Amino acid sequence: QIVVDWDLLQDSGQLWVVEVSDQGCLGDTMHANIVFDQLELDLRNVSVGLPDDRMEINWELVDKRASTSTFFIQKRVANSSQEWTDVAAVSGNTFTYLETNIYTDETAFEYRIRAVNKCGTEVYSEMHTNILLSGVQDENFNSILNFSNYLGWENGVEYYDLFGSENKGTYRIVEVGISPLSTITLAHDPRQYIKCFRVEGVELDGDSTTSWSNELCFYFSPEVIVPNAFTPNNDGLNDGFGVKGIAIKDFKMQVYNRWGEMIYESEDLYEKWIPEYRNEDVQMGTYIYLIKYTDYQDKVYQKSGTINLLR
């Protein structure tokens, strides 16, 4: 076995070996040309695109003098024991790949790059795992979000930011410095008929490389939720008659007594009727409400029914 401390600033070297017998006789000189193969792969980031049915994968060579004929992009479901599968093969002059037609909303994926060096040995990059954003809506239509950590950068993630989009608008920062270990709760605005979110992670002590999560969207049909009774007894609970609404553009509510007389009217979705009419308390009983509202395509809806006033 021969160990040589080569000068790796060179691309190649030469080695001669001469056999010497125990009598001091020189044998044939054996000669070999040595090729220094510094093929080392650095997977820079994986990032979900927009729309989020695609994944952007970027990598580079640690030593720019190295080369290979082909890069193989490999993938498997995150935190699984699945075998790695080749997603694609690209030429050795390509350092980015866009995988399309994938579903990014249910699971994160692990990626790595495979190549073969000049000696015929397989070389692999480190593994990277994308951010998975998930969430639900509570009974008040508030968004409850959480997301997984980005894995793969040598020094980890410097920070995460949450971005949001309302009603098909542009994305803007909603919260900064969020943690993948916490739950994020965001209040619902009744004027929203589509809410979408994405998380951006930024590499720590690197080249400010970023990665985006999948896009999580909530869709709302215009709806008004009306209680069937209220109790104006000044106990702080259901003292006024009000409704909840989502995806509402224009709103108007009227209340009538049993003789058909309108005793209350409002165009404020958040306003509650404190049962007074002409500066006097309204008697206990059943009243009729009529609600008209529009969605953001100006389609008109109407809802009517009765409300019980209990004292």
Side-chain angles (χ1 to χ4, degrees):
Q1 183 182 48
I2 301 172
V3 179
V4 179
D5 185 12
W6 295 99
D7 179 6
L8 297 184
L9 295 178
Q10 306 299 320
D11 293 326
S12 62
Q14 293 182 322
L15 184 68
W16 288 268
V17 176
V18 179
E19 181 184 20
V20 181
S21 71
D22 56 359
Q23 301 298 320
C25 298
L26 300 179
D28 291 339
T29 299
M30 307 299 295
H31 172 260
N33 291 317
I34 308 300
V35 176
F36 301 153
D37 194 315
Q38 298 299 304
L39 183 61
E40 185 178 353
L41 309 177
D42 180 20
L43 182 53
R44 296 299 304 126
N45 74 317
V46 297
S47 182
V48 180
L50 195 66
D52 67 353
D53 61 347
R54 60 201 63 201
M55 189 76 70
E56 302 169 0
I57 303 109
N58 299 280
W59 65 95
E60 63 184 15
L61 296 174
V62 176
D63 188 333
K64 299 302 187 292
R65 298 172 301 167
S67 64
T68 187
S69 62
T70 308
F71 292 113
F72 299 90
I73 297 90
Q74 295 191 311
K75 168 189 173 183
R76 69 181 180 186
V77 173
N79 303 314
S80 73
S81 58
Q82 292 181 354
E83 296 292 330
W84 289 93
T85 58
D86 287 344
V87 173
V90 298
S91 74
N93 297 321
T94 302
F95 298 95
T96 184
Y97 179 75
L98 180 65
E99 184 188 13
T100 58
N101 297 321
I102 60 174
Y103 190 57
T104 61
D105 290 334
E106 287 188 354
T107 182
F109 295 100
E110 298 171 350
Y111 288 88
R112 71 181 184 183
I113 307 300
R114 177 175 67 91
V116 178
N117 66 17
K118 295 176 182 177
C119 300
T121 302
E122 288 189 333
V123 177
Y124 297 90
S125 73
E126 68 275 42
M127 179 181 68
H128 282 230
T129 306
N130 68 284
I131 306 168
L132 175 64
L133 175 63
S134 57
V136 295
Q137 294 276 345
D138 66 12
E139 62 275 9
N140 294 317
F141 307 104
N142 298 318
S143 303
I144 303 175
L145 311 176
N146 54 74
F147 63 97
S148 63
N149 206 353
Y150 184 90
L151 301 176
W153 288 322
E154 181 178 1
N155 298 308
V157 178
E158 182 174 3
Y159 61 87
Y160 295 98
D161 290 336
L162 177 66
F163 287 73
S165 170
E166 302 174 0
N167 302 340
K168 300 181 181 180
T170 57
Y171 271 94
R172 59 180 179 81
I173 291 181
V174 176
E175 293 207 15
V176 298
I178 57 178
S179 170
L181 303 178
S182 62
T183 298
I184 305 165
T185 302
L186 300 171
H188 174 69
D189 185 337
R191 295 169 296 181
Q192 297 167 345
Y193 57 92
I194 298 177
K195 287 197 301 184
C196 295
F197 301 98
R198 299 183 80 197
V199 171
E200 181 191 38
V202 178
E203 182 183 9
L204 175 64
D205 295 335
D207 300 324
S208 296
T209 307
T210 64
S211 179
W212 287 92
S213 75
N214 55 303
E215 181 182 51
L216 178 65
C217 292
F218 299 102
Y219 300 87
F220 304 93
S221 298
E223 183 178 354
V224 172
I225 301 171
V226 185
N228 55 21
F230 68 116
T231 56
N233 54 10
N234 297 319
D235 64 353
L237 298 174
N238 299 318
D239 288 327
F241 170 50
V243 302
K244 292 181 179 180
I246 56 174
I248 303 299
K249 181 180 179 182
D250 297 313
F251 172 85
K252 185 176 183 179
M253 180 172 71
Q254 297 170 328
V255 177
Y256 296 84
N257 60 23
R258 59 182 176 176
W259 296 284
E261 184 180 11
M262 186 176 68
I263 59 177
Y264 173 77
E265 183 178 34
S266 176
E267 296 183 359
D268 187 347
L269 181 63
Y270 301 98
E271 185 176 281
K272 290 188 176 183
W273 174 43
I274 305 302
E276 294 180 352
Y277 180 56
R278 294 179 178 175
N279 297 321
E280 293 184 3
D281 289 339
V282 174
Q283 295 180 352
M284 183 173 66
T286 300
Y287 295 84
I288 300 170
Y289 65 82
L290 175 64
I291 299 174
K292 293 182 180 180
Y293 56 99
T294 67
D295 62 18
Y296 281 82
Q297 281 70 48
D298 293 321
K299 182 178 179 179
V300 179
Y301 300 81
Q302 183 169 300
K303 192 170 189 175
S304 61
T306 58
I307 180 73
N308 294 310
L309 192 164
L310 306 176
R311 291 190 182 275

